[in-house]
Amino acid sequence: MSVVVGVIWAQTRDRVIGSEGTMPWHVPQDMAYFKQVTRGSPVVMGRRTWESLPEAFRPLPGRTNVVITADDDRAQQLSEQGAVTASSLEDAVERARPHAAETSTVWVMGGGAIYAEAINKGLARVAAVTQLDLSVDGDTYAPELDPAQWHLVSAAPEEGWQASESGVGYRFETYARR
Ligand SMILES: NC(=O)c1ccc[n+]([C@@H]2O[C@H](COP(=O)([O-])OP(=O)(O)OC[C@H]3O[C@@H](n4cnc5c(N)ncnc54)[C@H](OP(=O)(O)O)[C@@H]3O)[C@@H](O)[C@H]2O)c1
């Protein structure tokens, strides 16, 4: 079965992806896009990203939610809350794989160190990056996609920004590993 691993995130101009356990912006179109891209695919995330989801929305519906933690007690609680737990990124991807349809994608959905690990270890082949025309302070960052290793496959809009209802400009970019 040829399951691809992808990463998906939204970042500001400075690659900020989070601040104090949350995303410091409101772009409903990005949430809708995330839902559309990941629906039906397993998702992999770190324990803090899981905790950043509103309780009523976790596990994210229609998707196997694999959560990475190094803490056995937390793992027990997480599985009682409906998550599949894993002790490393590789373990998480292996646990997610059987839940992916053939030729579908396992989506790694954060946070910062987990994205970096997925990129640096060569696990991720696809990156769905929402660019936000915004500058905010943050404490969590997306890794850089090295142009020598990644190329832009598509962007919507192709140039410039689409305006969200909150006024923030956004653009959906898809990259593939060369
Ligand atoms: N903009 C976006 O698209 C986006 C997407 C996702 C998240 N975010 C934001 O990012 C922030 C959360 O991300 P984060 O980087 O702080 O945390 P995170 O990666 O979601 O979670 C970190 C936790 O995951 C577990 N973990 C991570 N790597 C591990 C490893 N190799 N082995 C074992 N356990 C591991 C550990 O849990 P234990 O401590 O339980 O062991 C660690 O404390 C929030 O602000 C969130 O809103 C933004």
Side-chain angles (χ1 to χ4, degrees):
M1 198 162 75
S2 61
V3 172
V4 170
V5 177
V7 284
I8 182 164
W9 69 70
Q11 66 174 40
T12 69
R13 290 198 287 262
D14 308 315
R15 281 189 289 107
V16 167
I17 62 162
S19 175
E20 297 178 349
T22 183
M23 288 187 280
W25 53 75
H26 178 64
V27 181
Q29 289 88 343
D30 181 53
M31 293 171 81
Y33 177 72
F34 173 84
K35 194 168 162 185
Q36 176 206 319
V37 172
T38 61
R39 193 146 197 116
S41 298
V43 288
V44 166
M45 72 195 94
R47 190 259 308 163
R48 289 205 288 265
T49 294
W50 166 269
E51 286 176 354
S52 78
L53 303 172
E55 262 185 73
F57 291 99
R58 65 189 200 212
L60 294 172
R63 287 149 284 193
T64 299
N65 288 217
V66 185
V67 180
I68 308 172
T69 178
D71 183 314
D72 289 343
D73 292 337
R74 277 211 180 100
Q76 179 63 32
Q77 285 168 11
L78 288 163
S79 53
E80 283 163 11
Q81 292 167 12
V84 172
T85 61
S87 58
S88 68
L89 177 60
E90 288 87 346
D91 181 29
V93 169
E94 285 318 305
R95 284 175 196 266
R97 229 179 256 281
H99 298 276
E102 203 165 333
T103 71
S104 105
T105 305
V106 170
W107 287 105
V108 175
M109 55 167 283
I114 291 175
Y115 288 137
E117 200 179 333
I119 301 283
N120 295 337
K121 287 186 172 168
L123 275 170
R125 314 294 307 170
V126 178
V129 179
T130 302
Q131 302 284 357
L132 301 173
D133 187 21
L134 186 69
S135 225
V136 289
D137 289 338
D139 53 29
T140 316
Y141 291 82
E144 254 179 293
L145 295 177
D146 177 358
Q149 291 187 31
W150 293 84
H151 68 102
L152 183 65
V153 176
S154 64
E158 279 183 21
E159 284 176 28
W161 305 97
Q162 184 87 25
S164 77
E165 58 198 61
S166 63
V168 178
Y170 65 92
R171 181 172 60 246
F172 300 129
E173 295 182 344
T174 304
Y175 294 83
R177 199 178 275 277
R178 291 186 192 280

